[in-house]
């Protein structure tokens, strides 16, 4: 599988907003479930949100109501709008293809990209 490419990270203060984007260097994403993972310094990557090929979102509880995942299949992009950011959400964010089990995201598939850094200061 082709690596996905993330962009849009940056530094904000707590309560701020950022919009992350994900696209593919080659190949279409329209048939894939996609999602975001975060890796904080010294910690393992954790799942944040995902979206099915037809646009059904899934969020972990801590980000519900603050993050919005969306996709534009015509533009071959997927985005994560993050609002109300918290310092503990600092880390490198990665977009990945996601394997689903029924209606639940199960695991990332494919190679990890470089990610995009998000830093939230208190």
């Amino acid at each position: 599988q082709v690596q996905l490419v993330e962009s849009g990270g940056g530094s904000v203060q707590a309560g701020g907003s950022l919009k992350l984007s994900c696209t593919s260097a080659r190949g279409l994403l329209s048939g894939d479930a996609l999602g975001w993972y975060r890796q904080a310094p010294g910690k393992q990557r954790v799942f944040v949100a995902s979206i099915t090929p037809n646009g059904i979102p899934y969020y972990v509880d801590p980000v519900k109501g603050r993050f919005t995942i969306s996709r534009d299949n015509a533009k071959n992009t997927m985005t994560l709008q993050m609002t109300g950011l918290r310092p503990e959400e600092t880390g490198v964010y990665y977009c990945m293809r996601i394997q689903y089990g029924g209606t639940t995201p199960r695991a990332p598939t494919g190679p990890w990209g470089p990610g995009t850094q998000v830093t939230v200061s208190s």
Side-chain angles (χ1 to χ4, degrees):
Q1 287 182 323
V2 177
Q3 186 181 82
L4 302 182
V5 179
E6 307 89 349
S7 62
S11 296
V12 296
Q13 292 192 327
S17 300
L18 283 172
K19 186 175 183 178
L20 307 183
S21 294
C22 172
T23 190
S24 171
R26 299 195 311 272
L28 296 175
L29 300 174
S30 59
D32 296 315
L34 304 169
W36 291 93
Y37 282 74
R38 177 180 67 242
Q39 186 168 26
K43 296 187 177 181
Q44 291 187 331
R45 291 186 183 107
V46 296
F47 172 79
V48 177
S50 62
I51 189 166
T52 63
N54 60 352
I56 298 174
Y58 185 99
Y59 303 97
V60 294
D61 285 345
V63 309
K64 286 180 179 177
R66 297 186 298 117
F67 290 13
T68 302
I69 190 169
S70 61
R71 65 191 299 159
D72 185 335
N73 289 336
K75 295 183 179 180
N76 206 38
T77 58
M78 184 263 291
T79 61
L80 183 68
Q81 177 69 55
M82 304 185 294
T83 63
L85 281 161
R86 302 167 179 172
E88 59 266 32
E89 293 168 334
T90 291
V92 179
Y93 283 69
Y94 301 88
C95 69
M96 293 290 287
R97 291 175 174 84
I98 303 293
Q99 187 176 53
Y100 268 61
T103 59
T104 305
R106 294 296 186 191
T109 65
W112 293 94
T116 186
Q117 176 71 45
V118 171
T119 303
V120 186
S121 58
S122 56

